[in-house]
């Protein structure tokens, strides 16, 4: 078992609801300070976006963040370089698109992410049927491949996805790309379908915008991923202490 | 070169043509892609569906389109040239063949709405047309830059009862319209079919669109026999994503004919691209050293695409088809040449193929060769742009 799943299971088994915020790598000069602030405020792991020009699974907020990061010259290498100065002790999970790691070289990118302290990767356009080369490239590293389960995924396919995913299962709350949403979505149903065949940690993401939504989602799941709502505050030039308060609100909702 | 029956067959069970193709989509879309593959496979083997497809093409879309000998241009260039007249199909290009197939399939799958992407607007107008004919709701995603360049096509789609959504993300052109259509499809996949306009995207789209376009090559092969031509020496078509080329090549892939695809120099995925993954497929793409997709730039919006269909990437890699690029500067003279010598104003896309033919007659195409030119579309949509360019030159 790779360290990501071990770490998340340990937290889950200790009764903690997991809070995983998303940051776009390289979106601003001080982006690593935002990550540190989030961890200080109680984030259990952090997703780090590596920007791609054509992010098919992302809504307008993360698209905008990706464009801003790219216009600053952000690359996989520059993000890994920035991580050297990051002083946190929670799992880091890369989120990017397949062409970025394919172009860098699958084994080379797995090695680079791993040696930069990243212990997981989410590649949303890498369908189950195409994951094998990437998982093989990560075999000799500590990088876990995290797969998504969607509301549209039929039961038998859910079983195959959770048998293959590493670290945790990413339960999509909605048939939608990343971004703001109202209401509870279908995350609870997706988590129940994951639970039928596995006790791998299951986190709900996509459209978790408010602390209330997070609290509700965590009632059946092991925790939540918060992306666009947080990235929006950063696009609006949030300071590190703004990020800290943002995360504290979610932390408090999950803990009470 | 092998002439065994080995080209342009079905992709493998992962949707690959050699190393290209496949299915690189978010999990949310995978069930829909699998459903579509099953539905298309079943329909395409059902004579009732195939008959209906051919009936609509005949009664509504103006098929078969003729093959016209281009006698004066042939004499001028020292070649024997035939044109397959897709410009005479309803809505003015080959695009109608594909959308009729896909909209019939949409109804068969019990879905009531289609979405589509469009660049110049040809595929959008064709989809809006077929949707109106079959009583489907239709939404077309079009880059904001293109909605401004092709304002009349926007109005046509609206007249046909479709909604046009200007895409304001990224480069605001075709590539972003595809991204936005994919994002929309995630939200409505249970009742909506994504009617992709070219031989691109995740499996089964590249294969399915080629099958719906292969009627071009099948008709042309039969029609050329009536002119005493068993197979042409060269088959030429323009290539953006590559649907008209795939359609005409399909009729000759297993004959000795040379297959030649002409890309725009500013959108040359074979000439200046490298393997990568975009829009659900592994293919040849224009990208930078970090794998970021580059924007294509062409005088013709229909060739303004940084990738190419995966089967073309395979045909290029195996050497079965050849791909060359034509720069913007050669396109208008080619359009004028065909207009003045044959009384046919071609689309700017098609004019790329005419330009290569004119340039290579007596060179890459030996004098006396028999050539089939796929005349993929008519130039009505482009005349205002051509007028502006010619006025600017004088």
């Amino acid at each position: 078992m790779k360290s990501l799943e071990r770490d998340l299971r340990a937290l889950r088994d200790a009764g903690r609801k997991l809070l995983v915020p998303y940051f776009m790598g390289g979106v601003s000069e001080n982006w690593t300070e935002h990550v540190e602030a989030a961890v200080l405020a109680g984030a259990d792991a952090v997703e780090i976006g590596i920007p791609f020009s054509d992010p098919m699974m992302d809504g307008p907020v993360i698209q905008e963040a990706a464009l801003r990061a790219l216009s600053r010259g952000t690359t996989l290498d520059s993000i890994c370089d920035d991580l050297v100065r990051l002083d946190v002790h929670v799992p880091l999970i890369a989120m990017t698109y397949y062409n970025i790691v394919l172009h860098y070289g699958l084994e080379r990118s797995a090695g680079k992410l791993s040696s930069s302290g990243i212990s997981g990767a989410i590649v949303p356009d890498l369908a189950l049927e195409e994951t094998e080369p990437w998982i093989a490239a990560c075999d000799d590293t500590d990088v876990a491949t995290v797969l998504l389960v969607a509301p549209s995924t039929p039961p038998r396919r859910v079983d195959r996805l959770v048998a293959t995913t590493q670290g945790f299962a990413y339960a999509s709350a909605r048939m939608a790309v990343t971004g703001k949403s109202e209401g509870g979505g279908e995350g609870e149903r997706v988590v129940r379908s994951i639970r039928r065949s596995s006790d791998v940690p299951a986190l709900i993401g996509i459209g978790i915008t408010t602390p209330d939504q997070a609290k509700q989602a965590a009632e059946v799941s092991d925790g939540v991923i918060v992306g666009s709502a947080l990235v929006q505050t950063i696009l609006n030039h949030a300071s590190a202490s703004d990020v800290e308060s943002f995360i504290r609100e979610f932390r408090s909702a999950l803990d009470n | 070169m092998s002439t065994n029956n080995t080209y342009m067959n079905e992709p493998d069970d992962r949707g690959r043509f050699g190393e290209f193709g496949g299915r690189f989509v978010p999990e949310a879309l995978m069930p829909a892609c699998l459903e579509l593959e099953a539905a298309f496979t079943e329909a395409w083997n059902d004579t009732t569906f195939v008959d209906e497809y051919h009936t609509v093409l005949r009664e509504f879309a103006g098929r078969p389109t003729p093959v016209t000998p281009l006698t004066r241009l042939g004499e001028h260039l020292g070649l024997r040239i035939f044109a397959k007249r897709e410009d005479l199909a309803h809505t003015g290009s080959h695009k109608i063949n594909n959308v009729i197939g896909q909209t019939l399939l949409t109804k068969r799958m019990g879905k009531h709405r289609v979405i589509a992407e469009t660049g110049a607007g040809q595929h959008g107008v064709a989809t809006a047309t077929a949707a109106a004919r079959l009583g489907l709701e239709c939404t077309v995603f079009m880059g904001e830059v293109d909605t401004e360049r092709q304002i009349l096509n926007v109005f046509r789609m609206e007249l046909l009862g479709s909604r046009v959504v200007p895409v304001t993300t990224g480069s605001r052109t075709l590539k972003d319209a595809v991204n936005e259509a994919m994002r929309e499809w995630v939200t409505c996949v249970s009742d909506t079919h994504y009617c992709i306009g070219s031989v691109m995207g995740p499996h089964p789209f590249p294969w399915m669109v080629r099958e719906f376009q292969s009627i071009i090559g099948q008709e042309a092969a039969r029609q050329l026999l009536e002119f005493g031509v068993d197979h042409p020496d060269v088959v030429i078509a323009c290539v953006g994503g590559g649907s008209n080329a795939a359609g005409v090549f399909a009729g000759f892939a297993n004959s000795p004919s040379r297959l030649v695809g002409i890309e725009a120099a500013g959108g040359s995925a074979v000439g200046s691209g490298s393997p990568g993954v975009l829009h659900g497929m592994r293919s040849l793409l224009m990208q930078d050293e970090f794998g970021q997709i580059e924007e294509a730039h062409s005088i013709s919006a229909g060739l303004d695409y940084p990738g190419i269909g995966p089967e073309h990437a395979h045909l290029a890699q195996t050497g079965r088809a050849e791909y060359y690029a034509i720069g913007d500067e050669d396109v208008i003279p080619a359009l004028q040449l065909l207009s003045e010598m044959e009384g046919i104003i071609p689309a700017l896309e098609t004019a790329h193929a005419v330009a290569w033919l004119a340039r290579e007659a007596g060179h890459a195409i030996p004098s006396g060769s028999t050539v089939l030119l796929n005349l993929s579309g008519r130039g009505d949509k482009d005349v205002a742009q051509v007028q502006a360019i010619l006025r600017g030159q004088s």
Side-chain angles (χ1 to χ4, degrees):
Chain A
M1 187 181 288
K2 298 195 178 189
S3 70
L4 179 61
E5 184 164 342
R6 214 168 47 232
D7 291 350
L8 297 184
R9 276 179 182 271
L11 287 164
R12 188 257 311 265
D13 295 346
R16 186 167 170 97
K17 292 296 182 184
L18 303 171
L19 175 58
V20 182
Y22 172 101
F23 293 89
M24 177 60 74
V27 72
S28 62
E29 179 63 33
N30 61 341
W31 73 274
T32 53
E33 292 168 24
H34 293 150
V35 175
E36 286 164 355
V39 173
L40 189 67
D44 299 297
V46 175
E47 259 189 55
I48 296 169
I50 302 174
F52 178 49
S53 54
D54 292 79
M56 189 204 282
M57 192 56 202
D58 286 306
V61 172
I62 292 181
Q63 287 174 44
E64 170 66 26
L67 285 180
R68 206 181 279 190
L70 288 173
S71 71
R72 294 187 65 252
T74 302
T75 63
L76 188 151
D77 275 335
S78 76
I79 288 174
C80 289
D81 289 347
D82 289 350
L83 289 179
V84 172
R85 63 171 198 252
L86 184 66
D87 183 24
V88 298
H89 301 281
V90 301
L92 305 177
I93 303 152
M95 166 139 179
T96 192
Y97 286 82
Y98 192 44
N99 203 48
I100 298 299
V101 289
L102 187 66
H103 206 75
Y104 195 91
L106 296 184
E107 289 187 2
R108 189 169 159 242
S109 32
K112 179 75 180 179
L113 295 176
S114 188
S115 67
S116 306
I118 288 175
S119 61
I122 303 169
V123 188
D125 60 341
L126 197 51
L128 175 64
E129 288 76 1
E130 299 284 355
T131 49
E132 199 279 326
W134 169 245
I135 290 178
C138 294
D139 258 354
D140 294 335
T141 75
D142 191 37
V143 177
T145 299
V146 179
L147 301 181
L148 283 89
V149 180
S152 58
T153 309
R156 264 186 294 181
R157 195 174 163 83
V158 175
D159 296 347
R160 288 170 57 210
L161 285 164
V162 296
T164 310
T165 195
Q166 301 168 337
F168 66 94
Y170 190 133
S172 308
R174 294 176 171 79
M175 290 298 289
V177 295
T178 59
K180 189 176 173 181
S181 275
E182 317 241 310
E186 299 176 81
E188 293 166 31
R189 182 174 65 76
V190 175
V191 169
R192 274 196 291 274
S193 73
I194 292 167
R195 283 281 166 268
R196 286 189 316 112
S197 66
S198 170
D199 72 340
V200 69
L203 306 186
I204 295 180
I206 303 196
I208 302 289
T209 309
T210 66
D212 278 350
Q213 285 174 318
K215 184 179 176 59
Q216 195 195 342
E219 277 169 18
V220 291
S221 71
D222 298 318
V224 295
I225 297 159
V226 181
S228 297
L230 174 59
V231 173
Q232 182 66 65
T233 67
I234 289 169
L235 291 178
N236 298 341
H237 307 288
S239 66
S241 74
D242 295 334
V243 170
E244 199 180 318
S245 344
F246 182 99
I247 297 296
R248 277 198 203 288
E249 279 189 51
F250 278 80
R251 184 75 265 166
S252 150
L254 290 175
D255 290 346
N256 294 304
Chain B
M1 187 196 77
S2 167
T3 54
N4 294 334
N5 187 26
T6 51
Y7 291 100
M8 302 192 86
N9 297 315
E10 289 184 21
D12 71 16
D13 56 7
R14 287 194 307 159
R16 300 275 183 144
F17 302 94
E19 68 170 89
F20 299 107
R23 203 148 29 195
F24 297 87
V25 292
E27 172 57 25
L29 291 179
M30 271 306 289
C33 289
L34 294 167
E35 177 200 9
L36 180 63
E37 181 189 357
F40 171 66
T41 304
E42 187 248 349
W44 208 226
N45 285 295
D46 177 351
T47 51
T48 313
F49 179 84
V50 175
D51 286 349
E52 189 180 13
Y53 163 73
H54 286 288
T55 301
V56 177
L57 287 179
R58 188 179 64 247
E59 294 178 349
F60 178 63
R63 299 210 76 86
T65 60
V67 159
T68 303
L70 303 186
T71 317
R72 290 189 66 216
L73 183 67
E75 278 172 20
H76 176 67
L77 297 175
L79 302 169
R80 189 176 181 206
I81 306 172
F82 296 92
K84 178 61 175 165
R85 300 293 306 281
E86 294 303 295
D87 59 316
L88 294 178
H90 185 37
T91 70
S93 81
H94 69 289
K95 293 290 186 190
I96 195 77
N97 307 327
N98 169 42
V99 299
I100 284 174
Q102 287 200 52
T103 50
L104 286 171
L105 191 60
T106 302
K107 290 203 91 161
R108 190 180 167 99
M109 289 189 293
K111 298 186 174 187
H112 65 80
R113 177 171 173 251
V114 288
I115 55 173
E117 84 294 341
T118 196
Q122 289 304 100
H123 174 60
V125 169
T127 307
T129 298
R133 165 87 185 174
L134 295 177
L136 298 166
E137 279 176 54
C138 177
T139 303
V140 179
F141 293 85
M142 187 169 185
E144 191 178 45
V145 171
D146 292 330
T147 61
E148 286 157 10
R149 285 196 286 205
Q150 296 285 342
I151 196 158
L152 280 177
N153 269 343
V154 173
F155 185 57
R156 282 188 186 98
M157 289 182 262
E158 288 169 350
L159 275 179
L160 291 158
S162 288
R163 194 164 72 92
V164 179
V165 178
V167 173
T168 56
T169 55
S171 61
R172 297 178 292 139
T173 60
L174 177 57
K175 144 180 118 69
D176 306 284
V178 176
N179 288 332
E180 214 50 43
M182 289 269 186
R183 291 176 187 129
E184 168 75 7
W185 199 30
V186 173
T187 70
C188 57
V189 66
S190 60
D191 67 1
T192 299
H193 173 67
Y194 178 15
C195 186
I196 290 186
S198 191
V199 285
M200 48 164 284
H203 178 60
F205 285 102
W207 168 51
M208 177 175 72
V209 176
R210 180 254 281 171
E211 287 295 287
F212 286 142
Q213 291 293 3
S214 63
I215 190 158
I216 301 172
Q218 289 161 6
E219 281 179 8
R222 204 166 54 233
Q223 290 163 317
L224 284 174
L225 286 177
E226 292 166 21
F227 289 98
V229 176
D230 176 67
H231 64 272
D233 298 310
V234 189
V235 178
I236 304 177
C238 63
V239 177
S243 69
N244 90 81
V248 73
F249 287 179
F252 303 92
N254 299 303
S255 82
S257 300
R258 278 173 72 189
L259 308 178
V260 179
I262 305 301
E263 298 184 288
S268 172
V270 175
S272 57
S274 57
V277 169
L278 176 71
H279 295 153
M281 64 185 174
R282 181 186 171 93
S283 192
L284 294 171
L285 310 171
M286 292 168 56
Q287 53 190 328
D288 71 10
E289 59 178 305
F290 305 108
Q292 308 296 350
I293 307 305
E294 291 181 334
E295 289 170 25
H297 294 286
S298 167
I299 190 172
S300 71
L303 303 185
D304 233 347
Y305 185 66
I308 190 171
E311 189 168 26
H312 285 295
H314 177 59
L315 290 170
Q317 194 180 57
T318 57
R320 177 61 191 95
E322 309 153 52
Y323 298 83
Y324 304 99
I326 284 289
D328 285 353
E329 67 282 3
D330 293 331
V331 174
I332 301 284
L335 180 141
Q336 292 174 298
L337 180 70
L338 191 70
S339 303
E340 290 169 13
M341 299 208 83
E342 295 291 347
I344 301 169
I345 302 173
L348 284 172
E349 291 79 9
T350 315
H352 285 71
V354 177
W356 190 80
L357 179 62
R359 191 180 79 191
E360 296 299 336
H363 303 286
I365 311 170
S367 294
S369 298
T370 301
V371 174
L372 175 67
L373 168 71
N374 197 32
L375 228 154
S376 55
R378 60 174 174 250
D380 304 34
K381 70 182 173 57
D382 298 318
V383 290
Q385 186 186 351
V386 173
Q387 183 184 39
I389 291 168
L390 290 174
R391 275 186 182 160
Q393 284 171 356
S394 62

